[in-house]
């Protein structure tokens, strides 16, 4: 998946467009060489918010891309341009992986790519997407949905999550986490090969749990309990649960499990450690426990997951990198 094309026309949301350009269009060959061959594709000069962009290629170039990304569509009350819908449909027919960011899902739905599939979009527009496209199963609660060749995301921050998820699928979690650090965003909202990704993550900021998350992430090898977390956060277990629900959308134990699975994925990709060793390093205790939770969450056993990444080009060492 080395060629990424960003499909644009008048009326796209500039935030989602810009973050896709930042992730895939930046020169990150110091991480992986080659990085993505990025192209901006549109019918002509396009107006995006207050900005006017000159595409590199016409929309017909989408059929040459490995991955096509459709940014958010501003006016969801109107049908997206037919030429954009047709170009995206043709790109998918040619074998491209197609991903929408935020309300870009309306373009994919109009192209028929979401029929019979689970999808998501910005929570404020999920009902409208479901009403206009009844053959699409719309889930308003997830961050993004990975159907393999077709992916959709919720709004704003979740669009970044999906972009990092694509990097992770292509280059592994170590590279994706490095890209996230470069962009100063959390690297933890991923779901590996799970089809439907709902793993929540705390957003950085000034909230009562800001200091607790890094403390817990450094101790994933330990059998942490809710009481341990509450003690560290200096609050009762009940108050901890309320804050966790508010900040992450889930419970303390569910969040811990998600982080243990994420860490196991990274170890499977980047080390030769046995499953028993990884179970200990992630606080799972035994290989049996790790295999059970890993398969249920990711969708495949740890050994299968490792073999999948062994068949891909392994990234070079990340030591000595410089981050702005």
């Amino acid at each position: 998946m080395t060629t990424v094309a960003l499909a644009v026309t008048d009326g796209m949301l500039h935030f989602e467009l810009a973050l896709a350009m930042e992730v895939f269009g930046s020169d990150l060959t110091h991480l992986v060489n080659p990085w993505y061959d990025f192209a901006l594709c549109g019918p002509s000069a396009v107006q995006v918010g207050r900005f006017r962009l000159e595409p590199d290629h016409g929309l017909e170039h989408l059929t040459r891309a490995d991955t096509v990304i459709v940014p958010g569509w501003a006016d969801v009350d109107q049908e997206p341009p037919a030429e954009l819908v047709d170009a995206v449909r043709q790109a998918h027919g040619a074998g491209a992986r197609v991903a929408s960011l935020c309300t870009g899902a309306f373009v994919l739905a109009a192209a028929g790519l979401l029929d019979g599939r689970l999808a998501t979009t910005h929570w404020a527009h999920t009902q409208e997407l479901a009403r206009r496209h009844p053959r699409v199963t719309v889930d308003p609660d997830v961050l993004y949905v990975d159907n393999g060749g077709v992916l959709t995301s919720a709004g704003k921050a979740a669009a970044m999550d999906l972009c990092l998820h694509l990097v992770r699928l292509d280059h592994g979690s170590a590279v994706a986490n490095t890209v996230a650090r470069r962009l100063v965003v959390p690297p933890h909202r991923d779901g590996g090969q799970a089809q439907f990704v709902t793993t929540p993550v705390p957003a950085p900021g000034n909230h009562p749990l800001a200091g607790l998350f890094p403390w817990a992430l450094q101790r994933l090898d330990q059998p942490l309990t809710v009481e341990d977390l509450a003690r560290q956060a200096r609050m009762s277990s009940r108050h901890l649960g309320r804050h966790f629900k508010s900040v992450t959308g889930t419970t303390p134990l569910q969040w811990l499990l998600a982080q243990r699975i994420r860490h196991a994925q990274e170890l499977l990709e980047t080390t030769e450690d046995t499953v028993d060793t990884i179970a200990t390093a992630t606080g799972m205790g035994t290989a049996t426990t790790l295999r059970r939770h890993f398969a249920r969450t990711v969708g495949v056993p740890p050994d299968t997951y490792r073999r999948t990444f062994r068949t891909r080009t392994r990234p070079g060492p990340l030591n000595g990198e410089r981050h702005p």
Side-chain angles (χ1 to χ4, degrees), residues 208-232:
L209 303 182
L212 179 63
F213 295 127
W215 179 88
L217 290 174
Q218 293 172 6
R219 294 165 174 80
L220 292 177
D221 60 328
Q222 301 177 19
L224 297 176
T225 66
V226 174
E227 289 71 24
D228 293 330
L229 297 175
R231 190 179 306 110
Q232 178 64 23

Side-chain angles (χ1 to χ4, degrees), residues 176-318:
N177 290 348
T178 301
V179 174
R181 289 195 298 271
R182 176 180 176 270
L183 298 173
V184 198
V185 297
H188 308 304
R189 295 211 290 193
D190 54 55
Q193 297 174 345
Q195 183 175 12
F196 308 132
V197 184
T198 59
T199 305
V201 67
N206 184 21
H207 53 75
L209 303 182
L212 179 63
F213 295 127
W215 179 88
L217 290 174
Q218 293 172 6
R219 294 165 174 80
L220 292 177
D221 60 328
Q222 301 177 19
L224 297 176
T225 66
V226 174
E227 289 71 24
D228 293 330
L229 297 175
R231 190 179 306 110
Q232 178 64 23
R234 297 182 179 180
M235 62 181 65
S236 69
S237 298
R238 177 176 296 181
H239 282 119
L240 178 75
R242 291 174 179 171
H243 283 299
F244 249 93
K245 189 68 174 178
S246 174
V247 175
T248 72
T250 190
T251 68
L253 290 181
Q254 289 173 333
W255 181 83
L256 269 176
L257 177 60
Q259 305 318 310
R260 295 187 197 280
I261 295 296
R262 178 196 60 79
H263 188 38
Q265 289 174 307
E266 185 166 351
L267 292 175
L268 287 166
E269 295 174 26
T270 60
T271 75
E272 300 294 337
D273 293 347
T274 66
V275 175
D276 289 279
T277 300
I278 292 175
T280 300
T282 57
M284 292 289 191
T286 67
T288 300
T289 300
L290 172 59
R291 286 191 173 97
R292 182 175 68 252
H293 288 294
F294 195 96
R296 185 177 61 187
T297 302
V298 179
V300 294
D303 298 313
T304 302
Y305 183 87
R306 169 172 272 166
R307 285 196 299 272
T308 299
F309 276 90
R310 287 292 185 270
T311 63
R312 298 172 180 171
T313 301
R314 296 297 303 276
L318 302 179

Side-chain angles (χ1 to χ4, degrees), residues 6-17 43 46-49 59 69-85 88 99-110 121-122 124-125 128-129 132-133 153-156 159:
L6 190 60
V8 296
T9 59
D10 289 340
M12 292 293 185
L13 296 173
H14 63 274
F15 180 86
E16 288 78 3
L17 186 151
V46 297
Q47 194 73 31
V48 180
L59 288 172
I69 297 179
V70 182
W73 175 248
D75 191 359
V76 296
D77 293 330
Q78 302 294 324
E79 289 297 326
E83 58 183 341
L84 174 62
V85 172
V88 169
S100 66
L101 308 180
C102 193
T103 49
F106 283 83
V107 177
L108 271 60
T121 188
H122 191 289
H125 304 293
E128 178 62 14
L129 181 64
R132 283 163 54 180
H133 301 280
S153 84
K156 305 304 179 185

